[in-house]
Amino acid sequence: MKENGWIRTHCGRMDHGGCALLVKVKENEIVKIKGDPEGLQNRGYVCPKGLASPARLNHPDRLKYPLKRVGERGEGKWERISWDAAIGIIRDRLLSIREDFGPEAVAFCQGMPKGLEHFVLIRLANIFGSPNLVAVQDVCHAPREISGIHTCGFYPVADLHHKSELVILWGSNLSATNEEGMIHRLLADGLKSDALKTGTKLMVVDPVRTRFAEKADLWLRIRPGTDHLLGLAFLNVIIEEGLYDRNFVDQWTVGFDPLSNHVRELTPEKMGPLTGIDPDMIRNGARMYAEAAPAAIQWGNAIEQTPQNFDAARALICLMAICGNLDVPGGNVGMVDPKILSLGRFVRADLIPDKPKRMIHAHSGTIPKLMTVPPALFKRAVLEEVPYRVRAAYIQCANPMLSWADSQETENALSKLDFIAVSDLFITPTAAMADIVLPAATHFEFDDMGHYGLGHGYILARPKVVEPPGECRSDMAILNELGKAMTPAEYWYDDPNEFLDAVLAPSGLTFEGFAEKGYLKGPDRFRKYAEAGFKTPSGKVELQLSRAHKFGLPALPQPVDPFETDDPDFPLILTSAKDPCYLHSSYRWVPELREKSPEPFCRIHPETADAFGISNGEIVSIETRFGKIVQKAKVTEKVLPGIVSAAYGWWFPEIGIERLFDWQRANFNMLTHTKRPGRAFGTPRLKGIPCRITGPAGTATAASS
Ligand SMILES: Nc1nc2c(c(=O)[nH]1)N[C@H]1C(S)=C(S)[C@@H](COP(=O)(O)OP(=O)(O)OC[C@H]3O[C@@H](n4cnc5c(=O)[nH]c(N)nc54)[C@H](O)[C@@H]3O)O[C@H]1N2
Ligand SMILES: Nc1nc2c(c(=O)[nH]1)N[C@H]1C(S)=C(S)[C@@H](COP(=O)(O)OP(=O)(O)OC[C@H]3O[C@@H](n4cnc5c(=O)[nH]c(N)nc54)[C@H](O)[C@@H]3O)O[C@H]1N2
Ligand code: SF4
Ligand SMILES: [Mo]
């Protein structure tokens, strides 16, 4: 919609998106951008990434034409080819691999879902007949969402649209990440108190003093990787002190007695030393949560980036349930979608009914309803041929060489594939490994929608505002062409915008009508269980999972100590947080962002710096049992002693492809491994890894000095 020369759209592809924007365009260039004061979630807010987002579009090195590799993998020798030739090569290679080895041998890989392209890719995989859609959901949302579905029948999302007495930011740095498209403006506004109302109280569970931790009523300084233990200690206090919602527990839960018995020994005194939090602080935190009504837990990546993510997510959902915070306004709710096409129908799940049995991870006994292949298990299929060999990958919106755990293993796996096609905006370390590289159009350059499939009860319009450069095409358009080339044409469209219309059809809107409205929201409906019960086998919240034995998973959240076998050579604990200026490994090539965040740094406490002989600003090595990288030390009291909070996602576009952008030098995932991924989700440990640091002079570690 256009008003006084300003075009209304929503931000996207710089995170999950969510801010309503006003942009001014001159001669196919965005010349001004600002937050829309009427935005549903942002109320005028816009972050540095959003402001810099138009700078991506005109970068001189942006990919503009399809390329074919002519040198060795990673050598950077390319030949420009036409779109017809590129589509033709991909079609021929994928069809011949399907013919010789079956559809399972072809994987379709997606990074963080950025818009509708994610679902079009799943649709293509389904129609092609491959059950293997590889995605990072194992470390991002699936643990929360699927644990929720099994425990209470829905994904319990923090409701920041209604007043809460208390919000807990549990491993979620909302002011920097606007995690999952939950723009932090709503929370910031809710915290304010004035003559008419008292503001929402805030608790933060984080090893780092984040911006919200500075404002918090209680900050629990947790040792990374131990969130499940803290959750269990909260349950212990709330149950032992009788602070739970008895009516709700009696009427709407099963397994309360077994849970009570299970957590009886898991006292704050026992969990305190493991989590690094004083037992009295744990008691205070648990009481604060139990006594606030309603209270919401805004849970972030830190809950799910460990093999114990099932235990952590389960413990938190049990907390939400016994304190009466499930599906109440201002609590954790099951959002209701507007009238739009369901995901299952959009992706044509009906065409591949046996997918759950054929997916790579079915073999590893992961939890039912996990429909994307965890990267750790995908790589095992490529390298060890377990449960079968995968030979080709179509990769879009992803940079696995940086974003998947164990980067060296990722390089080995990509090198072993017979064929790789990559769609991106730029030659990344991953695109450098491809046989064919496709130039993608990006945000602002095509009509798209945000928040579809996120489970937040609304979708946001992202109408196009400029034409893409060169021969760039949106991923939706690319996949539509590939679909027509490789699979029956009846499943595809003349115009890729018809994907958007198909999603909107049940609402009666066209994309133009939707863009005019800006967003489409489902009705606010709470306590839906009162009518039909919870959508679980027992119709109640399953504190003790009734089907756990069938899944081969524990029925109650387990107190596994991740540091049981302490490693004296690696006395510190490594974790990370996302950089407010970048999206994962993306956009290091955008000068406006690089000026704000020019290089990777790891944060350490002054005491730790002293113990290890490290000064602020020095280049240090960070080492785990699995690898070694270098980053600059930032000595700060914001991070707990004994912790290293390192930067993640770094490669150096300016170094050039000849040295593969020095992709290993500062890359956090050189330090992670995939050896014992979690059973439920196939998740490796990204947060809470034993490590050590060494200064430039090779200073001895505290442990050895
Ligand atoms: N150690 C560690 N690892 C992590 C995490 C962590 O916290 N620590 N976080 C994890 C999480 S939560 C996630 S979601 C994943 C993210 O994993 P990825 O999604 O693989 O991460 P990105 O590095 O952002 O890669 C996205 C790529 O998409 C490209 N791109 C941007 N827009 C478009 C577009 O419109 N079309 C196409 N074709 N390409 C586009 C970008 O240029 C970039 O190269 O990483 C996970 N990995
Ligand atoms: N700027 C920016 N925004 C993003 C992204 C990005 O890359 N950059 N990525 C987007 C994506 S895909 C996602 S999934 C979200 C994720 O957004 P968040 O969930 O906010 O993710 P992180 O920044 O990885 O971690 C959040 C917080 O957890 C803390 N933390 C680290 N280890 C632990 C631990 O073991 N326990 C606890 N309790 N806390 C710990 C960190 O210090 C940090 O403050 O952000 C989205 N938004
Ligand atoms: S917070 Fe996210 S949606 Fe909002 S402007 Fe920044 S990148 Fe865009
Ligand atoms: Mo993510």
Side-chain angles (χ1 to χ4, degrees), residues 208-501:
V208 177
R209 196 166 76 221
T210 60
R211 262 176 58 199
F212 275 118
E214 277 169 8
K215 297 184 186 171
D217 298 275
L218 184 67
W219 170 33
L220 296 180
R221 308 156 192 218
I222 193 164
R223 189 178 183 212
T226 63
D227 293 272
H228 58 302
L229 302 176
L230 181 64
L232 286 162
F234 267 38
L235 285 166
N236 166 286
V237 175
I238 292 168
I239 295 174
E240 291 296 308
E241 298 187 7
L243 303 176
Y244 53 92
D245 180 335
R246 278 168 209 276
N247 285 339
F248 185 87
V249 166
D250 289 348
Q251 231 182 315
W252 291 113
T253 68
V254 289
F256 182 73
D257 290 340
L259 178 69
S260 306
N261 292 333
H262 177 69
V263 299
R264 187 153 298 136
E265 300 295 314
L266 307 177
T267 58
E269 284 65 31
K270 277 214 180 113
M271 298 296 109
L274 298 175
T275 57
I277 308 173
D278 179 75
D280 286 340
M281 294 274 271
I282 299 182
R283 284 217 156 72
N284 287 346
R287 289 175 189 147
M288 246 173 103
Y289 178 68
E291 284 161 7
I297 300 180
Q298 163 57 40
W299 40 355
N301 265 176
I303 304 301
E304 49 201 1
Q305 296 189 337
T306 77
Q308 281 78 46
N309 52 11
F310 183 55
D311 297 317
R314 287 266 301 132
L316 296 198
I317 302 163
C318 290
L319 278 171
M320 297 168 194
I322 69 166
C323 293
N325 286 318
L326 274 183
D327 217 23
V328 298
N332 284 78
V333 301
M335 300 290 195
V336 181
D337 268 336
K339 272 197 193 148
I340 48 175
L341 191 66
S342 72
L343 288 179
R345 291 185 62 193
F346 183 81
V347 303
R348 296 303 308 257
D350 57 307
L351 297 176
I352 185 160
D354 54 353
K355 176 170 168 169
K357 289 200 196 97
R358 291 169 50 214
M359 304 178 299
I360 289 169
H361 52 300
H363 179 79
S364 305
T366 46
I367 194 164
K369 296 196 190 297
L370 179 66
M371 301 304 280
T372 56
V373 182
L377 302 179
F378 164 68
K379 289 193 282 179
R380 192 173 296 167
V382 177
L383 291 168
E384 294 169 29
E385 306 177 15
V386 176
Y388 45 73
R389 179 163 172 191
V390 174
R391 294 171 184 265
Y394 181 90
I395 302 176
Q396 86 178 5
C397 294
N399 192 5
M401 296 271 277
L402 276 296
S403 60
W404 290 359
D406 196 341
S407 299
Q408 190 54 63
E409 182 189 60
T410 304
E411 187 189 31
N412 298 345
L414 294 185
S415 303
K416 190 177 169 193
L417 288 171
D418 296 345
F419 180 72
I420 306 174
V422 169
S423 158
D424 206 298
L425 317 181
F426 213 88
I427 296 285
T428 61
T430 301
M433 302 291 286
D435 299 281
I436 298 288
V437 177
L438 303 174
T442 192
H443 192 58
F444 298 122
E445 297 173 342
F446 58 94
D447 290 334
D448 191 16
M449 64 173 61
H451 277 53
Y452 184 55
L454 273 189
H456 290 202
Y458 46 87
I459 52 171
L460 305 172
R462 300 173 174 173
K464 163 178 176 170
V465 300
V466 291
E467 291 299 326
E471 293 182 3
C472 293
R473 291 184 184 174
S474 74
D475 290 299
M476 280 193 284
I478 300 171
L479 297 173
N480 194 48
E481 286 312 305
L482 257 180
K484 282 191 236 177
M486 300 195 300
T487 68
E490 64 190 274
Y491 298 118
W492 305 98
Y493 294 110
D494 291 335
D495 177 349
N497 270 16
E498 289 176 64
F499 289 121
L500 299 160
D501 291 332

Side-chain angles (χ1 to χ4, degrees), residues 208-209 601-607 609 616 633-641:
V208 177
R209 196 166 76 221
F601 61 81
C602 58
R603 290 177 289 184
I604 46 172
H605 191 273
E607 278 173 25
N616 192 36
K634 185 177 259 185
V635 178
T636 165
E637 287 182 344
K638 285 192 176 169
V639 52
L640 296 188

Side-chain angles (χ1 to χ4, degrees), residues 16 112 140-141 301 584:
H16 291 103
M112 181 199 91
C140 178
H141 306 298
N301 265 176
H584 304 286

